[in-house]
Amino acid sequence: MTIPASFIQELIARADVVEIVGRYVQLKKAGANFMGLCPFHGEKSPSFSVSPTKQFYHCFGCGVHGNAIGFLMEHAGMGFVEAVHDLAGQYGLVVPEDDISPAERARAASQRQKQATLTDVLEKAGDAYRKALRQAPGAIDYLKGRGVSGEIAKQFGIGYAPAGWRALASVFPDYDDPLLAESGLVIVNNEEGKLSDEEAKRYDRFRDRVMFPIRNVKGECIGFGGRVLGDEKPKYLNSPETPVFSKGRELYGLYEARAAFRDRGYALVTEGYMDVVALAQLGFPNAVATLGTACTTEHVQKLFRFTESVVFSFDGDAAGRRAARKALDGALPYATDTRSIKFLFLPAEHDPDSYIRAHGAEAFAGFVAEATPLSRFMLEAAREGCDLSSAEGRAHMTSNVRPLWSAMPDGALKRQLLSEIATLVQLDAAALSDLWATAAPGPRKGAGAPPQAPQRHSEPDSYGNDPGDYYPDLPPTQDYEPPRYESESKPKFQPRKFTKGKRWGGKFEEPIEPLRGRGKPPSRPDVAVRLVLSNMAQWEALSHELHVMLCDLPGEHGALFTWLDSQLHEHGVQPWAALREGLRGLDFAPLAERLMSVSEAGPVPEGEEEQHLAEAAKELGSVLDFMLDDRLKAQQSEAIASVGKDPKALERYKALEARRLELRDRIRASGTDTA
């Protein structure tokens, strides 16, 4: 989408930067300009200047500067297009877009209108929940028991969803309005499409729960989180994904905490709504929380729009370590030399609220100051399970740490870590660098000269340069294809067949039967689902990279693995019988039932349990190796597509190719290569 430069100039000329900035920063007249405390760094005396004549802001302390659009991007965390549309909307202007058709423009306008309408619906529901809280003594007692004052409850807009099935019908006279379902407030149970829209059953998603409105950076309500008052499950319930809400991009409390980031000097990322509210109550208003999901790169990127220092706080148990490991992956691409990223692990018996109440705010602040820096946690994660007293253990750590180190941006921190890693694995930095560089791809076999860059990237860039001049050794496009999981690229090994008295994955020679109703072999995601559902402990043993790969699978497979990961965090390892009960009513339950029906069997013969588990683990490892190879290949394709736009594309491609070579060596060593 291209927005004409003439419109942007008109918009900047019409917008009043003093008015836009003044909504977020208290400004005072100082001569021809206005002055205030910089919202982008902590300071006690004003150095942030806004010029009404130049329509420009500038901080003499940190050097940040820009116009009204730039301010919305930096302070409100918006993208350029979003900031332009937001600013244009404030002045009643319609944004023209050069390169889209009238139909596409109409669809985009309709989408923006729908988003605004959904936000209005959610705001109306939020008002109703806040009113309901006043007549809900049980919810009030719960909040008081957690030490939440009326002032903090008002600041965060906390409310209560009544216990009735259709309480919102009194708020929205047209309870059948599709917007109620689209906003996630109402569930429509259509019994798998058997009923008409008129006959479908509708009921409130949130019932008898303390309600926490989730706001975007502009302060608009985009969803809710609800907490039960007792011990029912699930303890917390979020709004579903909607046109205005995506839990992988939003942070609870970000709108309320933005100013505190500047005052306290850092953002504190916690694990739940009540952590954020309780911390604000106890003197730490700079806390935010992920919304029941792992911390993503989008979360981290959003935080760094408001602060240069982030501290992740986790429980000290195994689940907390796993969550920290995922946050590490999200943070590494943003670990520049000027940013501070730390990891705080509380004692297993405490969360932030209980720790502060037990030891005081000063003790918690000291605990935060002594949190583990990203560099140390990265090395700890890489060396986990590696015996550094042996050559094999050091080699294992070298393999573990390479993708982590490679994800970091270039700079002094990354170079220092190279030296530390080299010391740990008993190599010098140059030797380690050479080792990782030697795996970079060279000319293909049979080729007399380096391959040429793909044709689709041979056009000059905006500066008139030909990408082929910079990337002469880039492989041709035809080497890369989308990942395929079906039989055209299946490994030589075959999943094992269940026999009476045996379990799938035992020592049998016959290949498994095709799935019922299908004429082709099971896909690799199918095989992975069966093996993990048959023995959930295998999921816990997988690396974070494999967790991400499986949860990112398209469709029901990815949704099932994401659900399984949440079950492990909440309930620990469960047998298939328990998982089956938890799956009831979920969209991907039929997939799990269908796949597991193929693997029904009796118990493992006595004395063969360990052998069975080892065979199943080996089988799962082989399947995942091939899936990972496909994933890395797809990432290489993305790197190629970035040539001409991203100068690091070739470096990223080479690092991926080095990983693929290592992976293919492992596949060949296991005897499952299809070459």
Side-chain angles (χ1 to χ4, degrees):
M1 177 171 57
T2 302
I3 301 174
S6 57
F7 176 80
I8 295 172
Q9 292 170 359
E10 178 188 352
L11 179 61
I12 293 172
R14 185 172 299 194
D16 182 359
V17 70
V18 176
E19 178 189 355
I20 300 300
V21 173
R23 296 174 187 173
Y24 306 93
V25 179
Q26 186 174 353
L27 298 174
K28 292 184 178 180
K29 195 78 166 64
N33 299 328
F34 290 81
M35 298 293 294
L37 295 175
C38 179
F40 302 106
H41 81 285
E43 62 178 10
K44 295 182 179 179
S45 57
S47 62
F48 187 75
S49 173
V50 184
S51 170
T53 55
K54 298 178 180 178
Q55 285 297 300
F56 202 73
Y57 67 86
H58 176 79
C59 177
F60 296 96
C62 66
V64 67
H65 58 273
N67 54 30
I69 296 174
F71 184 84
L72 289 176
M73 291 174 64
E74 292 298 326
H75 189 262
M78 301 181 190
F80 175 76
V81 174
E82 184 184 3
V84 170
H85 279 283
D86 185 87
L87 192 60
Q90 295 180 40
Y91 290 92
L93 300 176
V94 177
V95 181
E97 293 151 359
D98 284 346
D99 57 350
I100 64 173
S101 66
E104 290 173 327
R105 187 176 295 113
R107 279 196 297 272
S110 175
Q111 180 70 7
R112 286 192 292 272
Q113 180 58 46
K114 174 171 283 189
Q115 289 175 341
T117 304
L118 289 176
T119 300
D120 291 342
V121 169
L122 291 162
E123 292 281 6
K124 188 174 181 180
D127 289 340
Y129 291 144
R130 284 188 284 276
K131 290 177 182 176
L133 178 62
R134 299 169 192 164
Q135 280 85 50
I140 293 173
D141 289 344
Y142 169 79
L143 292 171
K144 287 183 176 178
R146 296 296 301 265
V148 178
S149 68
E151 182 182 352
I152 289 295
K154 181 179 179 181
Q155 177 185 338
F156 284 89
I158 298 173
Y160 171 72
W165 285 88
R166 295 166 65 98
L168 287 177
S170 62
V171 181
F172 299 95
D174 184 8
Y175 193 72
D176 293 335
D177 188 340
L179 287 171
L180 295 180
E182 268 196 89
S183 65
L185 292 170
V186 167
I187 293 175
V188 180
N189 185 355
N190 197 10
E191 296 186 6
E192 300 184 2
K194 296 178 182 177
L195 303 175
S196 67
D197 289 343
E198 292 75 18
E199 296 171 320
K201 300 174 183 176
R202 294 172 179 265
Y203 54 92
D204 293 358
R205 179 179 300 275
F206 301 100
R207 303 179 305 278
D208 194 22
R209 290 176 179 267
V210 174
M211 299 296 289
F212 300 87
I214 302 166
R215 295 163 171 159
N216 61 19
V217 291
K218 294 186 287 185
E220 299 167 335
C221 182
I222 55 175
F224 291 95
R227 199 224 187 263
V228 295
L229 299 179
D231 296 323
E232 296 85 3
K233 300 294 182 182
K235 182 188 296 184
Y236 285 98
L237 181 65
N238 285 328
S239 289
E241 301 282 310
T242 71
V244 296
F245 175 65
S246 173
K247 63 183 179 181
R249 291 197 294 266
E250 303 298 337
L251 289 159
Y252 177 71
L254 180 61
Y255 174 74
E256 292 82 2
R258 291 174 309 157
F261 292 163
R262 180 194 67 210
D263 297 335
R264 305 288 298 198
Y266 66 95
L268 180 63
V269 184
T270 62
E271 297 187 81
Y273 303 103
M274 280 307 305
D275 286 335
V276 172
V277 174
L279 283 167
Q281 178 78 53
L282 296 169
F284 292 86
N286 54 322
V288 296
T290 54
L291 300 168
T293 185
C295 187
T296 66
T297 54
E298 289 180 290
H299 288 142
V300 178
Q301 182 183 32
K302 184 166 286 190
L303 285 169
F304 279 126
R305 286 188 176 274
F306 302 98
T307 180
E308 292 297 301
S309 181
V310 174
V311 178
F312 294 98
S313 173
F314 300 99
D315 296 340
D317 57 12
R321 299 292 294 191
R322 286 194 299 270
R325 181 64 181 78
K326 293 178 180 180
L328 174 66
D329 281 351
L332 282 170
Y334 300 97
T336 65
D337 296 344
T338 58
R339 290 171 175 162
S340 170
I341 302 171
K342 294 183 177 182
F343 295 81
L344 172 67
F345 296 98
L346 293 167
E349 68 274 14
H350 281 298
D351 58 24
D353 179 15
S354 65
Y355 188 91
I356 294 174
R357 293 185 188 281
H359 302 283
E362 277 192 32
F364 183 74
F367 210 54
V368 169
E370 296 172 2
T372 304
L374 173 140
S375 57
R376 193 195 316 160
F377 182 55
M378 186 187 92
L379 295 179
E380 290 174 359
R383 67 185 295 173
E384 186 174 356
C386 301
D387 178 10
L388 298 189
S389 65
S390 69
E392 290 82 359
R394 293 191 293 273
H396 190 186
M397 180 185 171
T398 304
S399 176
N400 288 347
V401 78
R402 181 179 180 183
L404 304 178
W405 182 84
S406 298
M408 298 178 66
D410 290 333
L413 176 60
K414 186 174 185 178
R415 296 188 184 188
Q416 289 179 78
L417 278 172
L418 181 66
S419 298
E420 288 193 37
I421 295 166
T423 300
L424 286 170
V425 300
Q426 296 185 16
L427 293 170
D428 61 53
L432 181 60
S433 182
D434 288 343
L435 174 66
W436 286 346
T438 52
R444 297 189 306 273
K445 292 181 180 180
Q452 298 300 311
Q455 183 64 36
R456 62 195 172 109
H457 294 301
S458 61
E459 297 179 2
D461 61 19
S462 58
Y463 296 96
N465 300 318
D466 190 332
D469 296 338
Y470 300 108
Y471 306 106
D473 58 344
L474 196 62
T477 307
Q478 59 266 28
D479 280 0
Y480 297 91
E481 301 173 0
R484 297 177 296 175
Y485 298 110
E486 302 295 342
S487 56
E488 74 271 18
S489 60
K490 64 179 181 295
K492 285 182 181 176
F493 81 93
Q494 292 289 338
R496 306 304 185 184
K497 179 179 179 180
F498 269 102
T499 302
K500 186 66 176 176
K502 305 280 186 176
R503 283 203 182 194
W504 182 48
K507 293 178 63 180
F508 303 102
E509 296 303 324
E510 316 89 79
I512 195 166
E513 299 170 1
L515 298 181
R516 298 173 188 175
R518 295 178 62 183
K520 55 185 177 181
S523 67
R524 288 175 186 156
D526 285 344
V527 175
V529 165
R530 289 192 206 173
L531 285 166
V532 173
L533 289 179
S534 298
N535 180 11
M536 191 180 178
Q538 292 191 99
W539 178 260
E540 191 171 26
L542 298 180
S543 68
H544 172 67
E545 181 180 34
L546 294 177
H547 282 174
V548 172
M549 176 185 75
L550 293 172
C551 291
D552 282 350
L553 288 173
E556 294 180 336
H557 291 89
L560 194 156
F561 280 119
T562 301
W563 174 83
L564 192 69
D565 188 50
S566 69
Q567 291 297 295
L568 181 66
H569 281 280
E570 188 165 343
H571 304 294
V573 174
Q574 303 173 70
W576 162 238
L579 292 172
R580 174 187 280 169
E581 290 303 313
L583 282 163
R584 293 190 185 281
L586 299 180
D587 292 342
F588 40 82
L591 170 69
E593 290 277 4
R594 177 168 58 83
L595 294 176
M596 289 301 288
S597 68
V598 181
S599 58
E600 300 287 354
V604 177
E606 187 175 353
E608 294 187 18
E609 292 87 352
E610 290 188 12
Q611 184 178 3
H612 158 70
L613 292 175
E615 289 285 340
K618 181 179 180 182
E619 193 166 26
L620 180 62
S622 296
V623 171
L624 296 182
D625 278 348
F626 278 91
M627 292 176 67
L628 182 58
D629 185 58
D630 281 340
R631 181 179 175 89
L632 295 176
K633 183 189 292 187
Q635 290 174 355
Q636 285 182 309
S637 296
E638 294 174 3
I640 289 175
S642 299
V643 173
K645 305 172 186 174
D646 182 357
K648 296 180 181 178
L650 181 59
E651 180 183 345
R652 189 161 62 251
Y653 154 72
K654 288 182 175 180
L656 289 166
E657 181 65 15
R659 290 204 61 209
R660 287 194 65 209
L661 289 173
E662 293 174 359
L663 185 59
R664 297 300 299 184
D665 286 344
R666 186 166 75 225
I667 292 172
R668 280 192 289 270
S670 69
T672 57
D673 196 3
T674 58

